[in-house]
């Protein structure tokens, strides 16, 4: 699903203090693209992801995903839209520690309309041998792969990834990024990944550069690299 932002602005009000996080953003994300949003801390990356996915509301502007104008949806409509079309992977794995790996993935399957098989997805992320383990028995990279499997089992049209390798070492991070690349290529899932790491931008079809809440550049890349080939 394609994403289109028109004059998107977001500010936060605290008493008399108004802080602008996004300033008149115009942006189009093509269907099936692997997109990296790149910028330093405080540049507005997480705010952009949150408004694009309907986790936060706009102050001004319009956001369209596919044929739906999500910026005009009610809270209930947004919840249903996210459940049907979107997947999320965060820096913190957000796994339920009292559930097994398979049970954590099953949570994603239970809220989807047409879920994939949890077993098949765990095989895809190379965790079939760990289905009955608990999160505390896994490495950080394995836990992140569980969170990706939980998102993938829903068959999302778009996968939003918020610094998914921020807590991982280089080797493990490359494994997780390689998995995201393969999922993008295999399922045609639009992947939108935010990061401050310049090296990760080399994986993208399109790099969106943010600074101080503004899009300062959009770069289309014809010669993107494989995750295992990037230099940290």
């Amino acid at each position: 699903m394609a994403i289109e932002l028109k004059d998107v602005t977001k500010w936060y009000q605290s008493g008399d203090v108004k802080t602008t996080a996004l300033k008149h953003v115009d942006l189009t994300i093509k269907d099936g693209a692997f997109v990296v949003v790149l910028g330093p801390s405080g540049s507005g990356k997480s705010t952009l992801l949150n408004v694009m996915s309907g986790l936060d509301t706009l102050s001004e502007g319009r956001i369209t995903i596919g044929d739906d104008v999500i910026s005009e949806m009610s809270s209930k409509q947004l919840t249903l839209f996210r459940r049907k079309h979107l997947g999320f992977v965060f820096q913190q794995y957000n796994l339920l520690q009292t559930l097994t790996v398979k049970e954590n993935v099953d949570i994603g399957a239970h809220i989807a309309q047409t879920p994939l098989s949890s077993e098949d997805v765990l095989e895809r992320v190379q965790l079939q041998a760990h289905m009955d383990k608990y999160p505390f028995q896994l490495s950080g990279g394995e836990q992140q792969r569980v969170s990706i499997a939980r998102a993938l089992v829903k068959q999302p049209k778009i996968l939003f990834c918020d610094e998914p390798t921020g807590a991982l070492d280089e080797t493990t991070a490359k494994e997780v990024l390689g998995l995201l690349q393969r999922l993008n290529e295999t399922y045609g899932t639009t992947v939108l990944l935010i990061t401050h790491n310049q090296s990760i931008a080399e994986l993208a079809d399109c790099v969106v550069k943010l600074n101080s809440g503004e899009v300062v550049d959009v770069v289309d890349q014809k010669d993107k690299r494989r995750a295992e080939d990037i230099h940290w």
Side-chain angles (χ1 to χ4, degrees):
M1 297 174 77
I3 310 172
E4 185 175 23
L5 286 70
K6 290 289 188 183
D7 199 30
V8 167
T9 297
K10 175 66 180 181
W11 66 75
Y12 299 95
Q13 192 84 33
S14 179
D16 295 330
V17 178
K18 180 179 177 181
T19 303
T20 302
L22 295 173
K23 305 172 185 175
H24 308 291
V25 173
D26 292 314
L27 184 64
T28 299
I29 305 297
K30 295 178 181 178
D31 182 31
F34 192 117
V35 178
V36 168
V37 178
L38 183 67
S41 297
S43 60
K45 301 188 302 297
S46 292
T47 303
L48 182 64
L49 182 146
N50 288 341
V51 298
M52 288 176 72
S53 61
L55 291 174
D56 201 355
T57 57
L58 300 183
S59 301
E60 295 176 356
R62 177 185 177 97
I63 297 178
T64 304
I65 299 182
D67 297 323
D68 296 288
V69 183
I70 69 163
S71 51
E72 297 179 359
M73 289 182 178
S74 67
S75 178
K76 183 176 180 179
Q77 288 172 323
L78 282 169
T79 297
L80 293 173
F81 184 86
R82 288 193 299 269
R83 179 179 297 177
K84 184 176 181 181
H85 297 296
L86 309 183
F88 295 89
V89 179
F90 299 100
Q91 181 173 337
Q92 302 302 321
Y93 317 126
N94 297 327
L95 302 177
L96 295 177
Q97 299 297 314
T98 57
L99 299 183
T100 66
V101 165
K102 184 180 181 300
E103 289 168 340
N104 268 281
V105 176
D106 283 342
I107 290 175
H110 289 328
I111 64 173
Q113 291 186 324
T114 55
L116 299 171
S117 159
S118 295
E119 291 88 349
D120 289 348
V121 172
L122 284 167
E123 182 174 358
R124 173 70 64 174
V125 301
Q126 299 179 331
L127 286 174
Q128 63 270 35
H130 301 290
M131 283 194 293
D132 296 324
K133 291 183 178 179
Y134 291 88
F136 71 88
Q137 296 174 295
L138 305 178
S139 68
E142 288 168 339
Q143 290 187 63
Q144 189 61 291
R145 280 190 275 155
V146 177
S147 71
I148 292 171
R150 183 181 55 196
L152 177 63
V153 77
K154 293 172 55 182
Q155 294 200 79
K157 301 294 192 303
I158 304 171
L159 187 61
F160 290 97
C161 304
D162 188 351
E163 297 275 9
T165 60
L168 304 177
D169 62 78
E170 178 180 349
T171 299
T172 306
K174 287 182 179 181
E175 291 174 356
V176 168
L177 291 169
L179 172 61
L180 291 173
Q181 271 192 322
R182 293 191 296 274
L183 296 178
N184 168 251
E185 294 162 355
T186 302
Y187 295 101
T189 306
T190 302
V191 174
L192 193 139
L193 186 154
I194 69 171
T195 183
H196 63 273
N197 188 331
Q198 177 71 47
S199 296
I200 294 176
E202 297 177 22
L203 310 179
D205 299 304
C206 175
V207 181
V208 178
K209 297 182 180 180
L210 275 186
N211 202 1
S212 301
E214 297 180 281
V215 173
V216 295
D217 199 8
V218 178
V219 180
D220 291 319
Q221 297 189 140
K222 294 182 180 179
D223 299 319
K224 62 181 183 177
R225 305 184 73 178
R226 307 305 300 175
E228 60 268 22
D229 296 329
I230 64 175
H231 299 289
W232 221 240

